[in-house]
Amino acid sequence: MSALYDYFSAASDEAAAGVIDRAGGPGGPAVAPAPVKRGWFGRTSSPPPVQDMGPAFDTVSGGGIDPVVMMGTLEELLTGRPYDEVTNDPRSGHIVAIRDEGQLLVVALTDALSRALAAASPQRLADVAVPWAATEEFWGQADPHDLAMVLNELSGLAGRAQAKGERLYCWVCV
């Protein structure tokens, strides 16, 4: 079973929680698709009106990088905070929205990770990508160059979020 992880910024936990109902996650279309109801004998009833979900959020695809363990290890490498301290942060893995018995989640990232990503230079991110790729969470399958590219995208997202006074979140679809 694989999961999709999209990282995005939002002004508040409440705004981030609204992503849970957005078709395709935070970067998805501005409207949720209207479900088609089937009536008796296969007849189609009129669909309900389409709900306006507002503009897409600033989003970066996280590939297979989970927001708790893998990002916790990244935070440890970027900030020097011990992993136990990272995971004890109240925002680490904090679920702001959940649907379908955990098949859809919106999870908060820590402010320390967001600040570290926003402040990191491309060289610092490339340097951190090497030991990060070697962690057991990547099962020896990660390419440090590919991770550095993702980190640069996340750094840009964190910088834009910081400039707008927003926080970082992850939309998870299992």
Side-chain angles (χ1 to χ4, degrees):
M1 177 185 336
S2 64
L4 300 174
Y5 303 100
D6 282 350
Y7 292 89
F8 67 101
S9 64
S12 66
D13 286 357
E14 294 77 22
V19 166
I20 202 84
D21 294 321
R22 183 183 282 272
V31 293
V36 176
K37 296 181 180 180
R38 295 281 176 191
W40 290 97
F41 307 110
R43 291 188 218 135
T44 304
S45 63
S46 299
V50 175
Q51 180 183 4
D52 182 1
M53 301 296 285
F57 288 75
D58 190 358
T59 306
V60 169
S61 175
I65 301 170
D66 85 83
V68 180
V69 177
M70 291 174 165
M71 290 304 253
T73 301
L74 172 65
E75 184 172 340
E76 178 183 31
L77 291 168
L78 266 178
T79 66
R81 284 175 76 187
Y83 184 80
D84 289 342
E85 186 179 312
V86 169
T87 57
N88 286 328
D89 186 306
R91 291 197 60 81
S92 177
H94 173 69
I95 298 172
V96 298
I98 186 168
R99 288 277 190 278
D100 301 328
E101 298 176 356
Q103 298 295 305
L104 289 172
L105 299 167
V106 175
V107 179
L109 299 184
T110 68
D111 295 330
L113 176 58
S114 182
R115 285 190 302 271
L117 282 167
S121 69
Q123 184 59 54
R124 172 77 174 127
L125 296 172
D127 291 346
V128 164
V130 174
W132 193 36
T135 61
E136 65 183 87
E137 294 86 13
F138 286 107
W139 308 288
Q141 303 298 310
D143 177 355
H145 177 73
D146 292 343
L147 287 179
M149 289 181 9
V150 171
L151 289 177
N152 276 294
E153 289 182 31
L154 289 170
S155 176
L157 175 67
R160 293 186 300 276
Q162 193 172 58
K164 296 184 284 186
E166 295 184 347
R167 290 175 137 172
L168 294 185
Y169 299 87
C170 182
W171 173 80
V172 181
C173 178
V174 181

